[in-house]
Amino acid sequence: MTDHEGSIRDLNTRALGEIDNKVDKLLTLCETDVKLKDFSFAFKLEHAVDVAAFDAGREPGEEVLHLQHVLFRMIKLSLHVARHVLHRTKGFIAPGTTNTEDPVVGGATNAEGDAESGGLQRESSVAELSDGSEAWLDMGATLSHSAVEVLNLTLLSHRRLLRRLQTYCLGSQVLEYITDALTISRDHEITCFLEGFRREHVRLVANLTYENKEVCSAVLGDTRLLTAILGATRIDLENPGMGEWATFVIRNLCYCSNEAREILRGLTPISIVEEADELFGKAVDPHATPEGRSAMEPLQTHTE
């Protein structure tokens, strides 16, 4: 690790402390799930071996390289957990459906099916954590939220490692996962996840696209993801602050890419979201003009 790549002194200790706490929480919660339990065991074993090897053969200047390996493992764990929970909830929202591309999706809706498919459960009370139960939904929602928080925090942990961490996430198909997460139905979101689910994923896109042309190009090449980001600029009571993060993503895209500026310049509004009526009440009429522009006109009031 060369000097221009920074030193351990550049570490964001606050972010790393939060990562440690949330990863401990993730590993504890993973004990309730058969497949996640196996994955968390492999994570802990790999981590212990790596730490022991580093301590035994440590050389000056290798601290940041070791930190990079640790953060890569954190990303791998968090993305695996988040993806697993999302697919499991898809099986719950659409009973009887399975995703053949992801072996963790069981689609079972009873305790016996969970035991075979790796659903959220624990040995002491399989029925309590069967698919669709309140405990199952709470556990999955907490796992998902913590996992995405860890993904965000890893990108804030060391400013000189940001580009490498972004590239690792991109290679781990994080954008494919984010696209799936941001395109679920509103009912799916409210039923299965905590408040701020969409906001945290948009925030993750903002951190991934920050001064990274490769990630920006990948976002621009995914129509579903770009549409979801543009749609996230609206006010959403279930996701406070999401609009600001979506605006930050758009800023990153325009900063890194002429293509992004041309694409966004050519967009025209299709319609006005229903929330606009609630926001402006009866004072203003928000609408789209025939030319495809948004407009707001004061409503005429009649007095007797």
Side-chain angles (χ1 to χ4, degrees):
M1 186 68 66
T2 58
D3 290 339
H4 75 275
E5 291 168 317
S7 71
I8 202 67
R9 291 190 298 273
D10 297 319
L11 178 68
N12 183 337
T13 54
R14 179 175 176 274
L16 192 63
E18 291 188 49
I19 290 173
D20 286 341
N21 292 334
K22 293 184 184 300
V23 167
D24 287 343
K25 182 178 181 180
L26 273 181
L27 293 174
T28 300
L29 292 175
C30 282
E31 294 297 315
T32 65
D33 181 290
V34 173
K35 289 186 179 295
L36 292 183
K37 184 177 182 179
D38 292 341
F39 192 86
S40 68
F41 176 78
F43 169 88
K44 287 184 280 190
L45 179 61
E46 182 182 356
H47 185 69
V49 170
D50 186 43
V51 170
F54 175 70
D55 289 340
R58 178 184 305 184
E59 295 184 8
E62 289 190 343
E63 292 86 357
V64 177
L65 182 60
H66 174 66
L67 173 64
Q68 176 182 293
H69 292 161
V70 170
L71 293 173
F72 283 175
R73 272 196 302 276
M74 303 297 185
I75 291 171
K76 183 179 179 181
L77 170 69
S78 302
L79 186 55
H80 183 87
V81 170
R83 186 181 284 123
H84 174 84
V85 174
L86 179 62
H87 283 292
R88 289 293 298 163
T89 59
K90 283 184 177 180
F92 164 66
I93 292 295
T97 61
T98 57
N99 184 339
T100 56
E101 296 180 357
D102 192 323
V104 302
V105 183
T109 56
N110 56 63
E112 292 181 1
D114 282 349
E116 296 176 358
S117 62
L120 296 174
Q121 60 176 307
R122 61 187 178 199
E123 294 178 359
S124 60
S125 181
V126 175
E128 182 183 345
L129 281 169
S130 60
D131 277 15
S133 69
E134 183 176 351
W136 179 82
L137 291 172
D138 287 346
M139 189 70 70
T142 303
L143 275 167
S144 173
H145 192 77
S146 297
V148 178
E149 283 188 319
V150 171
L151 289 171
N152 273 306
L153 287 167
T154 56
L155 296 172
L156 304 176
S157 59
H158 196 290
R159 58 188 178 86
R160 295 293 184 90
L161 291 179
L162 176 59
R163 180 63 60 87
R164 293 188 178 200
L165 295 169
Q166 290 169 326
T167 301
Y168 182 81
C169 286
L170 185 63
S172 300
Q173 298 184 318
V174 69
L175 292 184
E176 287 81 351
Y177 159 71
I178 295 173
T179 300
D180 285 344
L182 289 178
T183 53
I184 63 174
S185 69
R186 188 66 159 183
D187 286 343
H188 187 170
E189 175 192 357
I190 293 175
T191 301
C192 299
F193 298 103
L194 299 180
E195 179 183 289
F197 174 80
R198 291 182 190 273
R199 180 197 63 230
E200 289 304 301
H201 286 81
V202 174
R203 176 190 172 200
L204 182 55
V205 179
N207 288 325
L208 287 166
T209 54
Y210 181 69
E211 296 185 356
N212 191 309
K213 292 184 178 180
E214 185 180 6
V215 178
C216 287
S217 295
V219 172
L220 290 170
D222 188 332
T223 303
R224 292 173 64 218
L225 179 55
L226 183 58
T227 300
I229 294 298
L230 293 173
T233 55
R234 70 179 188 275
I235 295 174
D236 187 335
L237 297 180
E238 292 292 330
N239 296 277
M242 180 176 70
E244 288 77 4
W245 284 112
T247 302
F248 190 31
V249 174
I250 295 171
R251 174 265 178 202
N252 290 343
L253 296 177
C254 291
Y255 178 80
C256 289
S257 170
N258 290 328
E259 179 188 1
R261 291 192 286 272
E262 292 301 320
I263 290 175
L264 295 175
R265 187 178 292 117
L267 294 177
T268 55
I270 299 174
S271 62
I272 304 298
V273 295
E274 295 178 359
E275 291 90 337
D277 292 332
E278 299 178 7
L279 178 64
F280 295 108
K282 298 181 179 181
V284 176
D285 174 29
H287 61 277
T289 67
E291 295 78 21
R293 297 182 179 278
S294 58
M296 292 187 293
E297 297 179 359
L299 291 173
Q300 298 293 331
T301 57
H302 300 281
T303 58
E304 296 182 359

